[in-house]
Amino acid sequence: MDIAVIGAGATGLAAGYELAKKGHAVTVFEKDKLGGLASARPIGETYIDDLYHHIFTSDREIIAYIDELGLSGSLTWVTPSNGLYMDRLYPFTNPADLLTFPAISFADRVRTGLTVLTAKGVSSYKRFEDVSARDWLISRTGARVYEKLWRPLLYAKFDSDADAVSGVWIWNKFKLRGSTRQNINSESLGYLYGGFIKLYEAMRDEILRNGGVMAREEVTGISREPDVPSPSGKRTRLRVTGKGPEGRNTAYTFDKALFTAAPQGLATLCEFPADYKNRLARIKYKANICVTLFLKKAVSKYYWVTIADDDAPFVLFIEHTNLIRDEGYKGAHIVYLSRYLDETDPLYNSADAEITAVFLPYVKKMFPNFDERDITASFVSRARYTQPVIYKRYSELRLPFETPIDGLYLASMPQIYPEDRGQNYALALGKRAAEEIV
Protein backbone atom coordinates (compact mmCIF):
# COMPACT_ATOMS: atom_id res chain seq x y z
CA MET A 1 0.00 0.00 0.00
CA ASP A 2 0.95 3.65 -0.45
CA ILE A 3 0.72 5.18 3.04
CA ALA A 4 1.20 8.78 4.19
CA VAL A 5 2.41 9.49 7.73
CA ILE A 6 1.90 13.08 8.80
CA GLY A 7 4.35 14.11 11.51
CA ALA A 8 7.93 12.92 12.15
CA GLY A 9 7.77 12.80 15.93
CA ALA A 10 8.23 9.58 17.87
CA THR A 11 4.77 8.22 16.94
CA GLY A 12 5.03 9.06 13.25
CA LEU A 13 8.55 7.70 12.87
CA ALA A 14 7.71 4.47 14.72
CA ALA A 15 4.66 3.95 12.49
CA GLY A 16 6.62 4.76 9.33
CA TYR A 17 9.46 2.49 10.40
CA GLU A 18 7.13 -0.46 11.09
CA LEU A 19 5.16 0.04 7.85
CA ALA A 20 8.30 0.36 5.74
CA LYS A 21 9.70 -2.84 7.30
CA LYS A 22 6.56 -4.62 6.11
CA GLY A 23 7.17 -3.49 2.54
CA HIS A 24 4.67 -0.65 2.28
CA ALA A 25 5.50 2.52 0.35
CA VAL A 26 5.72 5.16 3.10
CA THR A 27 5.92 8.93 2.78
CA VAL A 28 6.53 10.83 6.02
CA PHE A 29 5.54 14.52 5.98
CA GLU A 30 7.19 16.93 8.43
CA LYS A 31 7.23 20.71 8.11
CA ASP A 32 9.55 21.33 11.07
CA LYS A 33 12.19 19.34 12.94
CA LEU A 34 12.71 15.61 13.04
CA GLY A 35 11.72 14.07 16.39
CA GLY A 36 8.82 16.35 17.33
CA LEU A 37 9.05 17.08 21.06
CA ALA A 38 12.30 15.08 21.05
CA SER A 39 13.95 17.40 18.51
CA ALA A 40 17.50 18.57 19.12
CA ARG A 41 20.08 21.03 17.90
CA PRO A 42 23.83 20.60 17.31
CA ILE A 43 26.28 21.54 20.03
CA GLY A 44 29.90 21.01 19.12
CA GLU A 45 30.20 17.49 17.80
CA THR A 46 27.00 16.22 19.38
CA TYR A 47 23.37 17.28 19.95
CA ILE A 48 21.44 18.78 22.84
CA ASP A 49 17.70 18.20 23.23
CA ASP A 50 15.46 21.21 22.67
CA LEU A 51 13.45 19.92 25.65
CA TYR A 52 14.73 17.74 28.52
CA HIS A 53 14.37 13.94 28.29
CA HIS A 54 15.25 10.74 30.06
CA ILE A 55 13.80 7.23 30.11
CA PHE A 56 12.94 4.73 32.85
CA THR A 57 13.97 1.10 33.27
CA SER A 58 10.32 0.16 32.71
CA ASP A 59 10.25 1.81 29.24
CA ARG A 60 10.38 -1.44 27.30
CA GLU A 61 9.34 -0.10 23.88
CA ILE A 62 12.03 2.54 23.52
CA ILE A 63 14.71 0.23 24.95
CA ALA A 64 13.70 -2.43 22.40
CA TYR A 65 13.95 0.06 19.54
CA ILE A 66 17.35 1.26 20.79
CA ASP A 67 18.51 -2.38 20.76
CA GLU A 68 16.96 -3.12 17.36
CA LEU A 69 18.61 -0.12 15.73
CA GLY A 70 22.06 -0.89 17.11
CA LEU A 71 22.27 1.98 19.61
CA SER A 72 22.55 -0.02 22.84
CA GLY A 73 26.18 1.01 23.27
CA SER A 74 25.09 4.64 23.54
CA LEU A 75 22.48 4.04 26.24
CA THR A 76 23.67 4.71 29.77
CA TRP A 77 21.89 4.37 33.12
CA VAL A 78 22.45 6.80 35.98
CA THR A 79 21.17 7.12 39.56
CA PRO A 80 20.82 10.89 39.98
CA SER A 81 20.04 13.08 42.99
CA ASN A 82 16.77 15.03 42.92
CA GLY A 83 15.45 17.92 44.95
CA LEU A 84 12.33 19.82 45.95
CA TYR A 85 12.32 23.60 46.30
CA MET A 86 9.82 24.96 48.82
CA ASP A 87 11.12 28.17 50.41
CA ARG A 88 14.47 26.45 50.29
CA LEU A 89 16.03 23.44 48.61
CA TYR A 90 15.46 19.96 50.08
CA PRO A 91 16.89 16.62 48.91
CA PHE A 92 14.04 14.52 47.54
CA THR A 93 15.48 11.38 46.00
CA ASN A 94 14.32 8.50 48.20
CA PRO A 95 11.84 7.62 50.98
CA ALA A 96 14.33 8.65 53.66
CA ASP A 97 14.25 12.19 52.26
CA LEU A 98 10.47 12.22 52.60
CA LEU A 99 10.61 10.93 56.18
CA THR A 100 13.00 13.73 57.17
CA PHE A 101 11.23 16.44 55.15
CA PRO A 102 10.57 19.19 57.73
CA ALA A 103 7.97 21.22 55.79
CA ILE A 104 5.19 18.82 56.86
CA SER A 105 4.62 16.93 60.11
CA PHE A 106 5.98 13.43 60.68
CA ALA A 107 2.45 11.96 60.64
CA ASP A 108 1.76 13.67 57.33
CA ARG A 109 5.03 12.38 55.91
CA VAL A 110 4.04 8.83 56.80
CA ARG A 111 0.58 9.25 55.24
CA THR A 112 2.16 10.68 52.09
CA GLY A 113 4.65 7.84 51.81
CA LEU A 114 1.95 5.22 52.28
CA THR A 115 -0.20 6.90 49.63
CA VAL A 116 2.58 6.70 47.07
CA LEU A 117 3.46 3.15 48.06
CA THR A 118 -0.08 1.78 47.93
CA ALA A 119 -0.80 3.49 44.57
CA LYS A 120 1.95 1.37 43.04
CA GLY A 121 0.02 -1.76 43.96
CA VAL A 122 -3.24 -0.70 42.26
CA SER A 123 -3.38 -2.35 38.84
CA SER A 124 -6.48 -0.71 37.33
CA TYR A 125 -6.97 3.00 36.67
CA LYS A 126 -10.77 2.67 36.63
CA ARG A 127 -11.16 3.40 40.34
CA PHE A 128 -9.51 6.80 39.84
CA GLU A 129 -11.56 7.98 36.85
CA ASP A 130 -14.43 9.52 38.81
CA VAL A 131 -12.33 11.44 41.33
CA SER A 132 -10.12 14.47 40.82
CA ALA A 133 -6.45 14.33 41.75
CA ARG A 134 -7.15 17.12 44.21
CA ASP A 135 -9.91 15.28 46.07
CA TRP A 136 -8.08 11.97 46.08
CA LEU A 137 -4.87 13.51 47.44
CA ILE A 138 -6.77 15.37 50.17
CA SER A 139 -8.59 12.19 51.16
CA ARG A 140 -5.35 10.22 51.40
CA THR A 141 -2.72 12.71 52.57
CA GLY A 142 -4.84 15.43 54.20
CA ALA A 143 -5.67 19.05 53.41
CA ARG A 144 -2.45 20.39 55.00
CA VAL A 145 -0.20 18.30 52.78
CA TYR A 146 -2.30 19.07 49.73
CA GLU A 147 -2.03 22.84 50.25
CA LYS A 148 1.66 22.71 51.11
CA LEU A 149 2.92 20.15 48.61
CA TRP A 150 0.49 18.82 46.02
CA ARG A 151 -1.51 21.92 45.09
CA PRO A 152 1.57 23.92 43.96
CA LEU A 153 2.75 20.94 41.93
CA LEU A 154 -0.60 20.37 40.21
CA TYR A 155 -0.98 24.07 39.45
CA ALA A 156 2.57 24.16 38.15
CA LYS A 157 1.65 21.48 35.61
CA PHE A 158 -1.95 22.33 34.75
CA ASP A 159 -2.42 25.96 35.82
CA SER A 160 -6.13 26.94 35.92
CA ASP A 161 -7.17 23.36 35.03
CA ALA A 162 -5.43 21.80 38.04
CA ASP A 163 -8.58 21.20 40.12
CA ALA A 164 -10.21 19.33 37.23
CA VAL A 165 -7.35 16.89 36.58
CA SER A 166 -8.28 13.24 37.09
CA GLY A 167 -6.92 11.06 39.86
CA VAL A 168 -5.73 8.74 37.07
CA TRP A 169 -2.97 11.19 36.19
CA ILE A 170 -1.43 11.37 39.67
CA TRP A 171 -1.93 7.61 40.25
CA ASN A 172 -0.01 6.89 37.06
CA LYS A 173 2.85 9.15 38.17
CA PHE A 174 3.14 7.32 41.49
CA LYS A 175 2.95 3.94 39.79
CA LEU A 176 5.54 4.81 37.14
CA ARG A 177 8.11 6.17 39.57
CA GLY A 178 7.66 3.19 41.86
CA SER A 179 8.30 0.77 39.00
CA THR A 180 11.63 2.40 38.05
CA ARG A 181 13.37 1.83 41.37
CA GLN A 182 16.01 -0.88 41.47
CA ASN A 183 15.55 -0.79 45.24
CA ILE A 184 13.61 1.45 47.58
CA ASN A 185 16.42 4.02 47.82
CA SER A 186 17.54 4.43 44.20
CA GLU A 187 16.03 5.11 40.81
CA SER A 188 17.79 4.54 37.50
CA LEU A 189 17.24 6.91 34.60
CA GLY A 190 18.49 6.34 31.07
CA TYR A 191 19.95 8.68 28.48
CA LEU A 192 21.27 8.18 24.96
CA TYR A 193 24.69 9.69 24.28
CA GLY A 194 24.28 12.17 21.44
CA GLY A 195 20.66 12.77 22.42
CA PHE A 196 17.53 10.76 21.71
CA ILE A 197 17.53 12.37 18.27
CA LYS A 198 20.00 9.60 17.37
CA LEU A 199 17.17 7.08 17.69
CA TYR A 200 14.87 9.10 15.44
CA GLU A 201 17.62 9.66 12.88
CA ALA A 202 18.14 5.89 12.81
CA MET A 203 14.41 5.32 12.25
CA ARG A 204 14.41 7.90 9.45
CA ASP A 205 17.41 6.23 7.83
CA GLU A 206 15.70 2.82 7.94
CA ILE A 207 12.54 4.26 6.39
CA LEU A 208 14.66 5.64 3.55
CA ARG A 209 16.62 2.40 3.21
CA ASN A 210 13.35 0.51 2.80
CA GLY A 211 12.27 2.79 -0.04
CA GLY A 212 10.34 5.39 1.95
CA VAL A 213 10.29 9.13 1.40
CA MET A 214 10.79 11.99 3.87
CA ALA A 215 8.86 15.01 2.60
CA ARG A 216 9.82 18.39 4.06
CA GLU A 217 6.33 19.78 3.55
CA GLU A 218 3.45 21.22 5.53
CA VAL A 219 0.27 19.23 4.93
CA THR A 220 -2.56 21.65 4.12
CA GLY A 221 -5.46 19.30 3.41
CA ILE A 222 -6.67 15.70 3.42
CA SER A 223 -9.71 14.57 1.46
CA ARG A 224 -11.16 11.44 -0.08
CA GLU A 225 -10.80 10.88 -3.81
CA PRO A 226 -13.63 9.22 -5.77
CA ASP A 227 -13.38 5.45 -5.95
CA VAL A 228 -10.96 4.37 -8.67
CA PRO A 229 -10.73 0.96 -10.38
CA SER A 230 -8.20 -1.53 -9.10
CA PRO A 231 -7.57 -5.22 -9.81
CA SER A 232 -9.59 -6.15 -6.72
CA GLY A 233 -12.56 -3.93 -7.58
CA LYS A 234 -12.96 -0.41 -6.23
CA ARG A 235 -10.98 1.29 -3.52
CA THR A 236 -10.82 4.66 -1.87
CA ARG A 237 -7.84 6.90 -2.35
CA LEU A 238 -6.85 9.77 -0.08
CA ARG A 239 -5.71 13.08 -1.50
CA VAL A 240 -3.03 14.82 0.58
CA THR A 241 -2.17 18.38 -0.37
CA GLY A 242 0.88 20.19 0.92
CA LYS A 243 3.16 23.17 0.71
CA GLY A 244 6.86 22.70 0.15
CA PRO A 245 9.76 24.75 1.57
CA GLU A 246 9.67 27.13 -1.40
CA GLY A 247 5.95 27.66 -0.93
CA ARG A 248 4.92 25.57 -3.94
CA ASN A 249 1.65 23.63 -3.68
CA THR A 250 1.75 19.85 -3.99
CA ALA A 251 -0.80 17.04 -4.19
CA TYR A 252 -0.44 13.28 -3.71
CA THR A 253 -2.76 10.28 -3.47
CA PHE A 254 -2.41 7.42 -0.99
CA ASP A 255 -4.27 4.26 -0.03
CA LYS A 256 -4.18 5.25 3.64
CA ALA A 257 -2.89 8.05 5.82
CA LEU A 258 -1.94 8.41 9.48
CA PHE A 259 -2.04 11.78 11.26
CA THR A 260 0.22 11.94 14.34
CA ALA A 261 0.18 15.61 15.41
CA ALA A 262 -2.29 17.29 17.79
CA PRO A 263 -5.97 16.48 17.02
CA GLN A 264 -6.76 20.19 16.72
CA GLY A 265 -4.51 20.27 13.67
CA LEU A 266 -6.41 17.43 12.02
CA ALA A 267 -9.67 19.36 12.40
CA THR A 268 -8.27 22.13 10.18
CA LEU A 269 -7.30 19.75 7.38
CA CYS A 270 -10.47 17.73 6.81
CA GLU A 271 -14.21 18.04 6.44
CA PHE A 272 -15.53 16.02 9.38
CA PRO A 273 -19.05 15.52 10.77
CA ALA A 274 -19.87 18.06 13.49
CA ASP A 275 -19.90 15.50 16.32
CA TYR A 276 -16.37 14.30 15.48
CA LYS A 277 -15.07 17.89 15.20
CA ASN A 278 -16.54 18.54 18.64
CA ARG A 279 -14.69 15.53 20.04
CA LEU A 280 -11.43 16.83 18.59
CA ALA A 281 -12.06 20.28 20.06
CA ARG A 282 -12.67 18.87 23.57
CA ILE A 283 -9.03 17.79 23.85
CA LYS A 284 -7.15 20.52 25.70
CA TYR A 285 -3.40 20.95 26.00
CA LYS A 286 -0.93 22.93 28.04
CA ALA A 287 1.95 24.59 26.22
CA ASN A 288 5.55 24.70 27.43
CA ILE A 289 8.39 27.18 27.36
CA CYS A 290 11.86 26.04 28.27
CA VAL A 291 14.98 28.14 28.73
CA THR A 292 18.25 26.27 28.19
CA LEU A 293 21.40 27.72 29.75
CA PHE A 294 25.00 26.82 28.93
CA LEU A 295 27.22 27.56 31.90
CA LYS A 296 30.90 27.60 32.78
CA LYS A 297 30.32 25.64 35.97
CA ALA A 298 27.74 23.53 37.78
CA VAL A 299 24.93 25.18 39.71
CA SER A 300 23.96 22.31 42.01
CA LYS A 301 24.44 18.62 42.72
CA TYR A 302 20.87 17.81 41.66
CA TYR A 303 19.57 16.58 38.31
CA TRP A 304 15.86 17.28 38.76
CA VAL A 305 14.43 19.91 41.12
CA THR A 306 10.66 20.27 41.34
CA ILE A 307 9.51 23.71 42.51
CA ALA A 308 6.50 23.95 44.84
CA ASP A 309 6.13 27.73 44.97
CA ASP A 310 3.22 29.71 43.52
CA ASP A 311 5.50 32.67 42.81
CA ALA A 312 8.06 30.73 40.77
CA PRO A 313 8.21 31.72 37.08
CA PHE A 314 9.25 28.15 36.16
CA VAL A 315 8.35 24.83 37.76
CA LEU A 316 11.32 22.60 36.97
CA PHE A 317 15.05 23.17 37.33
CA ILE A 318 16.85 20.40 35.46
CA GLU A 319 20.64 20.30 35.51
CA HIS A 320 21.06 18.01 32.54
CA THR A 321 24.80 17.53 33.00
CA ASN A 322 24.20 16.01 36.43
CA LEU A 323 22.52 13.17 34.52
CA ILE A 324 24.90 12.85 31.60
CA ARG A 325 28.27 14.38 30.67
CA ASP A 326 28.88 14.14 26.94
CA GLU A 327 32.40 14.93 25.71
CA GLY A 328 30.75 16.77 22.84
CA TYR A 329 29.49 19.42 25.27
CA LYS A 330 33.11 20.67 25.53
CA GLY A 331 32.86 21.17 29.29
CA ALA A 332 29.62 23.16 29.25
CA HIS A 333 27.16 22.66 32.11
CA ILE A 334 23.59 22.61 30.81
CA VAL A 335 20.45 23.63 32.71
CA TYR A 336 16.80 23.56 31.59
CA LEU A 337 14.18 25.85 33.18
CA SER A 338 10.68 24.65 32.31
CA ARG A 339 7.21 26.22 32.60
CA TYR A 340 3.77 24.87 31.59
CA LEU A 341 1.09 27.39 30.69
CA ASP A 342 -1.78 28.17 28.33
CA GLU A 343 -0.84 29.37 24.87
CA THR A 344 -2.86 32.53 25.63
CA ASP A 345 -0.55 33.45 28.52
CA PRO A 346 1.40 36.61 27.59
CA LEU A 347 4.64 34.95 28.70
CA TYR A 348 4.29 32.24 26.04
CA ASN A 349 4.34 34.87 23.31
CA SER A 350 7.06 37.03 24.84
CA ALA A 351 10.45 37.50 23.24
CA ASP A 352 13.21 35.06 24.21
CA ALA A 353 15.17 37.73 26.06
CA GLU A 354 12.09 38.74 28.07
CA ILE A 355 11.43 35.14 29.14
CA THR A 356 15.05 34.63 30.15
CA ALA A 357 15.01 37.89 32.12
CA VAL A 358 11.94 36.69 34.04
CA PHE A 359 13.49 33.29 34.84
CA LEU A 360 17.03 34.18 35.87
CA PRO A 361 16.29 36.09 39.11
CA TYR A 362 14.51 33.04 40.49
CA VAL A 363 17.55 30.86 39.73
CA LYS A 364 19.51 33.33 41.85
CA LYS A 365 16.91 32.98 44.63
CA MET A 366 17.22 29.19 44.56
CA PHE A 367 21.00 29.21 44.32
CA PRO A 368 22.51 32.42 45.80
CA ASN A 369 25.95 31.56 44.37
CA PHE A 370 24.59 31.49 40.81
CA ASP A 371 26.32 34.13 38.67
CA GLU A 372 24.77 35.22 35.37
CA ARG A 373 28.27 35.93 34.09
CA ASP A 374 28.78 32.15 33.95
CA ILE A 375 26.21 31.91 31.13
CA THR A 376 28.01 31.41 27.82
CA ALA A 377 24.91 30.83 25.67
CA SER A 378 21.17 30.19 25.94
CA PHE A 379 18.12 29.43 23.85
CA VAL A 380 14.36 29.29 24.40
CA SER A 381 12.14 26.48 23.12
CA ARG A 382 8.38 26.72 22.82
CA ALA A 383 5.98 23.84 22.25
CA ARG A 384 2.27 24.50 21.81
CA TYR A 385 1.06 20.93 22.40
CA THR A 386 3.01 19.32 25.24
CA GLN A 387 0.65 18.11 27.97
CA PRO A 388 -2.96 17.00 27.43
CA VAL A 389 -5.23 17.96 30.31
CA ILE A 390 -6.49 14.65 31.71
CA TYR A 391 -10.01 15.31 32.96
CA LYS A 392 -12.18 12.96 34.97
CA ARG A 393 -13.60 10.07 32.90
CA TYR A 394 -11.01 10.80 30.25
CA SER A 395 -11.52 7.35 28.73
CA GLU A 396 -14.77 8.74 27.30
CA LEU A 397 -12.82 11.49 25.54
CA ARG A 398 -10.15 9.22 24.12
CA LEU A 399 -10.38 9.02 20.34
CA PRO A 400 -10.12 5.77 18.33
CA PHE A 401 -7.49 5.24 15.63
CA GLU A 402 -10.13 5.34 12.89
CA THR A 403 -11.58 8.68 11.79
CA PRO A 404 -14.86 9.24 9.90
CA ILE A 405 -12.84 9.45 6.66
CA ASP A 406 -12.26 5.96 5.32
CA GLY A 407 -8.55 5.15 5.29
CA LEU A 408 -7.54 8.09 7.51
CA TYR A 409 -6.20 7.27 10.99
CA LEU A 410 -5.25 9.32 14.04
CA ALA A 411 -2.47 8.42 16.50
CA SER A 412 -1.73 11.35 18.81
CA MET A 413 -0.52 12.10 22.34
CA PRO A 414 -4.02 12.37 23.93
CA GLN A 415 -4.67 8.74 22.96
CA ILE A 416 -1.94 7.64 25.38
CA TYR A 417 -4.04 6.71 28.40
CA PRO A 418 -4.05 5.80 31.27
CA GLU A 419 -0.30 6.26 30.89
CA ASP A 420 0.96 9.81 30.58
CA ARG A 421 2.86 11.17 27.61
CA GLY A 422 6.47 10.13 27.05
CA GLN A 423 8.74 8.80 24.32
CA ASN A 424 8.16 5.19 25.30
CA TYR A 425 4.37 5.43 25.00
CA ALA A 426 4.56 7.57 21.85
CA LEU A 427 6.64 4.88 20.15
CA ALA A 428 4.25 2.16 21.34
CA LEU A 429 1.33 4.19 19.96
CA GLY A 430 2.99 4.45 16.56
CA LYS A 431 3.65 0.72 16.49
CA ARG A 432 0.02 -0.07 17.36
CA ALA A 433 -1.22 2.38 14.74
CA ALA A 434 0.87 0.66 12.07
CA GLU A 435 -0.67 -2.69 13.05
CA GLU A 436 -4.14 -1.17 12.89
CA ILE A 437 -3.57 0.30 9.44
CA VAL A 438 -2.48 -2.96 7.85
Side-chain angles (χ1 to χ4, degrees):
M1 286 187 293
D2 290 328
I3 302 172
V5 176
I6 296 132
T11 298
L13 288 169
Y17 171 73
E18 295 293 340
L19 291 166
K21 277 199 307 183
K22 293 178 170 63
H24 298 286
V26 175
T27 300
V28 179
F29 292 86
E30 177 55 61
K31 67 176 180 177
D32 199 4
K33 288 185 173 184
L34 189 79
L37 291 177
S39 64
R41 60 188 68 198
I43 168 178
E45 299 174 359
T46 187
Y47 287 92
I48 184 65
D49 303 311
D50 288 329
L51 302 168
Y52 46 93
H53 297 287
H54 58 247
I55 63 173
F56 301 101
T57 55
S58 56
D59 286 345
R60 295 187 180 90
E61 290 287 350
I62 191 169
I63 294 170
Y65 275 124
I66 288 170
D67 290 344
E68 185 175 326
L69 290 162
L71 297 171
S72 299
S74 297
L75 179 62
T76 187
W77 295 96
V78 181
T79 302
S81 296
N82 301 320
L84 176 69
Y85 189 84
M86 183 190 295
D87 303 322
R88 68 177 182 85
L89 189 59
Y90 300 93
F92 224 76
T93 301
N94 54 50
D97 292 331
L98 173 61
L99 289 175
T100 58
F101 182 54
I104 57 178
S105 71
F106 180 75
D108 286 340
R109 293 175 226 159
V110 173
R111 291 180 68 186
T112 300
L114 289 174
T115 298
V116 176
L117 187 64
T118 55
K120 178 186 174 183
V122 178
S123 59
S124 174
Y125 69 92
K126 293 290 188 180
R127 63 184 287 185
F128 298 99
E129 275 221 303
D130 288 316
V131 63
S132 69
R134 174 188 181 276
D135 291 345
W136 183 72
L137 287 167
I138 290 175
S139 71
R140 300 302 300 268
T141 66
R144 291 189 306 273
V145 175
Y146 178 79
E147 288 298 321
K148 189 74 175 175
L149 178 63
W150 302 119
R151 191 191 66 79
L153 297 179
L154 283 171
Y155 271 82
K157 190 79 168 183
F158 294 105
D159 196 46
S160 58
D161 293 290
D163 287 345
V165 170
S166 168
V168 172
W169 185 82
I170 194 70
W171 161 79
N172 183 67
K173 288 296 182 187
F174 292 161
K175 187 176 179 65
L176 172 64
R177 300 311 287 262
S179 67
T180 64
R181 292 189 175 275
Q182 302 304 297
N183 58 62
I184 196 168
N185 288 316
S186 65
E187 175 185 50
S188 291
L189 302 178
Y191 192 79
L192 202 62
Y193 276 103
F196 287 100
I197 193 64
K198 292 295 185 184
L199 171 62
Y200 302 114
E201 288 179 335
M203 284 186 161
R204 174 202 61 195
D205 293 346
E206 283 300 299
I207 291 169
L208 295 173
R209 192 180 69 80
N210 284 305
V213 175
M214 300 294 297
R216 183 70 182 274
E217 296 185 27
E218 177 185 2
V219 172
T220 56
I222 305 171
S223 59
R224 191 163 60 185
E225 290 274 280
D227 288 346
V228 296
S230 72
S232 60
K234 287 186 178 293
R235 64 182 181 182
T236 296
R237 298 279 284 181
L238 290 172
R239 178 181 176 87
V240 176
T241 56
K243 184 175 290 185
E246 292 83 28
R248 72 183 189 280
N249 295 322
T250 56
Y252 311 87
T253 56
F254 297 94
D255 297 305
K256 295 187 177 183
L258 172 67
F259 186 86
T260 66
Q264 288 88 337
L266 182 60
T268 68
L269 300 179
C270 307
E271 291 294 330
F272 286 125
D275 62 335
Y276 187 76
K277 290 187 76 169
N278 289 337
R279 291 186 69 184
L280 293 177
R282 290 176 66 189
I283 304 297
K284 184 174 182 180
Y285 279 85
K286 293 299 176 182
N288 181 269
I289 49 178
C290 186
V291 175
T292 304
L293 305 175
F294 297 83
L295 303 163
K296 295 177 184 177
K297 60 185 181 183
V299 179
S300 77
K301 66 179 181 180
Y302 297 106
Y303 163 55
W304 188 283
V305 178
T306 303
I307 300 164
D309 179 357
D310 291 336
D311 296 326
F314 53 88
V315 298
L316 292 172
F317 173 96
I318 297 155
E319 193 153 352
H320 172 74
T321 37
N322 285 341
L323 178 72
I324 187 77
R325 294 304 304 270
D326 190 320
E327 291 183 1
Y329 297 161
K330 302 296 185 183
H333 296 263
I334 300 170
V335 168
Y336 294 103
L337 310 172
S338 175
R339 163 80 178 269
Y340 293 90
L341 70 178
D342 285 332
E343 65 168 331
T344 56
D345 191 301
L347 187 64
Y348 182 73
N349 298 295
S350 297
D352 290 2
E354 293 175 5
I355 294 171
T356 304
V358 169
F359 282 17
L360 288 182
Y362 200 86
V363 180
K364 182 72 173 178
K365 177 182 177 181
M366 293 176 65
F367 304 100
N369 292 329
F370 172 73
D371 189 339
E372 290 186 30
R373 291 174 295 183
D374 289 332
I375 301 172
T376 59
S378 67
F379 64 84
V380 177
S381 298
R382 293 171 180 79
R384 167 64 190 89
Y385 300 104
T386 56
Q387 175 65 62
V389 180
I390 307 302
Y391 295 111
K392 289 188 293 184
R393 303 209 63 80
Y394 189 82
S395 59
E396 297 173 359
L397 298 179
R398 185 170 52 175
L399 295 157
F401 284 128
E402 301 88 349
T403 75
I405 295 177
D406 188 24
L408 175 61
Y409 297 79
L410 171 68
S412 185
M413 191 190 301
Q415 290 160 288
I416 300 171
Y417 182 79
E419 298 85 8
D420 194 25
R421 70 198 178 113
Q423 292 183 89
N424 183 69
Y425 302 116
L427 290 165
L429 183 69
K431 186 175 182 179
R432 291 205 314 272
E435 294 168 353
E436 184 76 16
I437 287 171
V438 300

